Amino acid sequence: MAVTNFELLLLLGTLFISGFSATSYSTQVSFLQCFSSNLQHPNEASNVLLTTNSSNYSSVLQSSIRNHRFLNNSTLKPQFIITPSHVSHIQAAIRCSKQNGLQVRVRSAGHDYEGLSYVADVPFLIIDLFNLRSIRVDIENESAWVESGAILGELYHKIAEKSKRYGFPAGSCSTVGVGGHFSGGGFGTIFRKYGLAADNIIDAKIVDVNGKILTRKSMGEDLFWAIRGGGGASFGVIFSWKVKIVPVPQTVTVFNVRYTLEQGASKLLQKWQNVAHELDEDIFLHAVLEVADSTTSSAGSNKTVLVSFGSLYLGGVEKLVSLLQESFPQLGLMRENCTEMTWIQSVLYFAGFSTKDSLNVLLDRSTQYKGFLKAKSDYLTKPVSETGLEGLYRILLEEEAPVLILTPYGGRMSEITDSEIAFPHRKGNIYAIQYLTNWDEEDETEKHISSMRRLYKYMKPYVSKAPRAAYLNYRDLDLGRNNNAGNSSYAQAYVWGLKYFKNNFKRLVRVKTAVDPDNFFRNEQSIPVFP
């Protein structure tokens, strides 16, 4: 189809006045012509394609940059941002990116800790899926189709509109996009009962490297296996998921009790390490460690370590108190510590909202935190010793900033095999740790990252080994990275791949080699191909 529409001429004009080099300008022109001609209606290009000179380019780019480490002038910006409202726009973007040597980054809501959904060191474009976020819930068949641009809050809200007796086992942060969350695993407060978000995916729609739309039936079970826990960005653009929604009781119970070191938090944490993964699968009881002001200064310091024990129980308060008095009496849980509510109210609670808020707050895509951050993760197969915990407290008090979130495993997570889907962290893990630090000023970046690395190094003797495992959705480029040119060897990627995927890494590479043999879909931690 000839490209003669007025909108395309305007787009070309913006490139000309942007000051691109002759070679770069030629690439831009070629891409625009290709993109427009691959659309059913070429004048759609101006509605879904942004150049660096588009009036809303910066606002769209920055709208989902959650980590300000990647919001600076030195970060390479995408040459185009595609905001598809139809799958055909994704198909055109892939075909024309291949033709013109542009890498593709796919963004659902921008929560990748290392910014890989919107940052690259080579010429690239972003396919931003925020316009593709429709959700269709089928209560009768206990399922839902959700597009990848939706956030978790939108999914929970839509399910609650249909029924307060159903939920979905995904994360607590309401602004996280389902695309990255689902494809990396996705856990939340009911995953000990129902498994991961990825364990509850029953179909998906993906645009592959050839621009073809595939479903579970047409993609085959190998690729369907890989995109559940193996990360979707290595294999194509997944734009829709079919999930199994799960029943929840009419009443759930939450509590959050806090203890400082002076109040005996260390003894409680030692006990927690031994019991949290063994509790009834209806109980989620995590522990959060952070530095707080001390009310006693006998040690000559005005800081202490605060340990918060937060819980969701799928049932009423009387039963919860009874269960914990039997299995964890040291916690001293009383009925007055607990609050009964509906499951959807618990979603508000764990997302940081008031349970009295309107459910519409779950539809807000703007994050509650936008600043600088760094994260890491670990898995533990045995408790940290008392001596190990004491050393951990010393480091936390010296560094002050890092927060540790300890998530208990067990329950349903121990019943699913390591190879059922690409996510491998199952039986034998008693809990996982997320290390998280954030700060407000760019000139503090080096200090905080060094602090995080020191803490991570200290924990090495106490965590999983061979490999020291990590969670893909807590992306960490310190573990290793691919070459930007995309010619990373299998051996090079194996260093970090084994940590995220353990024995599933080789199968992921086989799938990648079969479906994307030229390694078009690549980033700093994408699955490589066999040579």
Side-chain angles (χ1 to χ4, degrees):
M1 181 181 296
V3 181
T4 59
N5 61 84
F6 180 65
E7 288 82 3
L8 181 56
L9 292 175
L10 289 177
L11 289 170
L12 292 173
T14 64
L15 291 175
F16 180 76
I17 64 175
S18 295
F20 285 106
S21 67
T23 302
S24 179
Y25 176 73
S26 176
T27 299
Q28 315 304 311
V29 171
S30 177
F31 177 87
L32 285 168
Q33 291 175 330
C34 175
F35 186 77
S36 182
S37 63
N38 269 271
L39 300 178
Q40 184 175 359
H41 304 289
N43 58 2
E44 290 179 331
S46 60
N47 296 323
V48 299
L49 186 150
L50 305 178
T51 72
T52 54
N53 255 44
S54 298
S55 60
N56 55 341
Y57 172 91
S58 293
S59 62
V60 171
L61 176 62
Q62 296 176 18
S63 64
S64 294
I65 294 182
R66 314 291 183 178
N67 190 344
H68 283 191
R69 283 200 288 138
F70 310 107
L71 186 61
N72 55 62
N73 292 330
S74 62
T75 302
L76 185 65
K77 302 300 189 292
Q79 297 188 8
F80 301 104
I81 302 175
I82 312 297
T83 59
S85 56
H86 188 270
V87 65
S88 61
H89 303 149
I90 300 174
Q91 294 173 292
I94 291 173
R95 291 171 181 144
C96 298
S97 296
K98 285 179 61 180
Q99 182 176 308
N100 290 279
L102 294 173
Q103 283 195 16
V104 168
R105 295 289 186 268
V106 182
R107 184 165 71 176
S108 293
H111 280 77
D112 187 296
Y113 279 161
E114 297 284 8
L116 298 191
S117 61
Y118 52 84
V119 171
D121 293 329
V122 296
F124 74 109
L125 63 78
I126 293 174
I127 300 176
D128 197 319
L129 300 174
F130 67 86
N131 284 326
L132 293 176
R133 58 179 191 267
S134 72
I135 301 168
R136 303 191 312 275
V137 176
D138 184 346
I139 294 296
E140 182 178 353
N141 292 301
E142 299 186 324
S143 66
W145 274 103
V146 50
E147 290 186 321
S148 290
I151 58 174
L152 295 180
E154 290 172 320
L155 174 59
Y156 298 144
H157 184 279
K158 184 64 71 172
I159 294 173
E161 276 187 339
K162 297 289 185 178
S163 172
K164 298 296 193 298
R165 299 301 301 272
Y166 282 89
F168 187 70
S172 300
C173 179
S174 61
T175 58
V176 167
V178 304
H181 190 69
F182 287 6
S183 66
F187 71 85
T189 57
I190 57 175
F191 85 127
R192 298 187 68 251
K193 173 78 170 182
Y194 291 114
L196 306 167
D199 292 322
N200 291 276
I201 294 168
I202 53 181
D203 204 344
K205 296 178 182 178
I206 183 172
V207 180
D208 73 1
V209 69
N210 298 310
K212 295 182 179 179
I213 300 173
L214 305 176
T215 63
R216 178 176 183 173
K217 182 177 180 180
S218 55
M219 76 176 74
E221 288 303 302
D222 278 346
L223 180 53
F224 186 63
W225 172 88
I227 62 175
R228 291 175 294 158
S234 295
F235 305 100
V237 179
I238 306 163
F239 63 95
S240 191
W241 308 83
K242 187 179 184 181
V243 299
K244 177 174 59 179
I245 60 174
V246 300
V248 293
Q250 184 173 348
T251 300
V252 305
T253 305
V254 305
F255 71 80
N256 187 46
V257 293
R258 301 179 177 185
Y259 295 90
T260 64
L261 293 181
E262 295 78 12
Q263 295 169 330
S266 188
K267 292 292 186 184
L268 290 173
L269 188 59
Q270 290 175 53
K271 179 66 175 179
W272 177 92
Q273 290 186 99
N274 287 283
V275 303
H277 64 288
E278 298 284 0
L279 293 172
D280 187 287
E281 65 180 10
D282 287 338
I283 301 175
F284 171 82
L285 175 60
H286 73 173
V288 179
L289 282 66
E290 59 189 317
V291 175
D293 292 331
S294 176
T295 57
T296 62
S297 55
S298 57
S301 171
N302 61 352
K303 296 293 183 180
T304 187
V305 174
L306 177 70
V307 182
S308 303
F309 298 93
S311 179
L312 170 75
Y313 173 60
L314 294 172
V317 61
E318 303 298 343
K319 181 65 173 178
L320 173 61
V321 171
S322 174
L323 287 169
L324 287 183
Q325 285 179 346
E326 178 181 347
S327 56
F328 194 2
Q330 297 86 347
L331 191 61
L333 185 69
M334 306 291 287
R335 194 188 192 288
E336 51 264 34
N337 301 133
C338 305
T339 304
E340 291 185 336
M341 59 186 65
T342 64
W343 183 79
I344 192 61
Q345 285 179 314
S346 80
V347 169
L348 295 174
Y349 175 84
F350 282 98
F353 299 112
S354 167
T355 56
K356 297 179 181 179
D357 284 342
S358 164
L359 294 183
N360 289 338
V361 298
L362 297 174
L363 305 178
D364 185 357
R365 298 178 68 90
S366 60
T367 187
Q368 293 163 292
Y369 171 80
K370 281 191 177 183
F372 299 83
L373 63 89
K374 174 66 180 175
K376 288 179 172 293
S377 61
D378 263 320
Y379 284 89
L380 284 83
T381 59
K382 60 182 180 180
V384 179
S385 65
E386 182 177 358
T387 300
L389 289 177
E390 290 173 353
L392 171 61
Y393 303 144
R394 284 195 297 271
I395 290 181
L396 289 177
L397 289 170
E398 290 168 4
E399 302 292 352
E400 290 197 11
V403 173
L404 276 67
I405 304 172
L406 282 53
T407 301
Y409 272 52
R412 177 65 179 144
M413 291 297 290
S414 293
E415 298 171 355
I416 303 172
T417 66
D418 293 357
S419 59
E420 179 69 22
I421 63 173
F423 178 96
H425 312 293
R426 305 289 188 172
K427 188 176 181 179
N429 292 295
I430 60 173
Y431 66 93
I433 301 177
Q434 177 182 193
Y435 310 90
L436 186 63
T437 185
N438 54 66
W439 60 100
D440 296 323
E441 301 297 332
E442 186 172 4
D443 59 7
E444 297 178 349
T445 296
E446 184 176 348
K447 180 187 76 171
H448 284 274
I449 290 181
S450 295
S451 167
M452 176 67 79
R453 289 170 177 165
R454 179 192 174 201
L455 174 60
Y456 186 73
K457 181 179 180 181
Y458 170 80
M459 290 296 293
K460 183 177 180 179
Y462 306 106
V463 299
S464 60
K465 298 173 178 62
R468 182 176 183 176
Y471 176 38
L472 178 64
N473 279 356
Y474 296 156
R475 180 87 66 182
D476 181 9
L477 289 181
D478 288 350
L479 302 180
R481 63 176 69 202
N482 299 334
N483 297 330
N484 287 335
N487 58 350
S488 295
S489 67
Y490 171 81
Q492 182 181 15
Y494 188 79
V495 173
W496 58 262
L498 190 66
K499 296 177 184 295
Y500 288 136
F501 306 114
K502 299 171 71 172
N503 292 333
N504 290 338
F505 181 66
K506 290 183 179 180
R507 183 178 176 187
L508 284 167
V509 175
R510 287 196 297 270
V511 175
K512 169 72 170 182
T513 304
V515 303
D516 183 17
D518 295 325
N519 198 22
F520 171 70
F521 292 111
R522 62 184 185 268
N523 59 46
E524 288 80 355
Q525 282 188 345
S526 58
I527 303 298
V529 297
F530 280 124

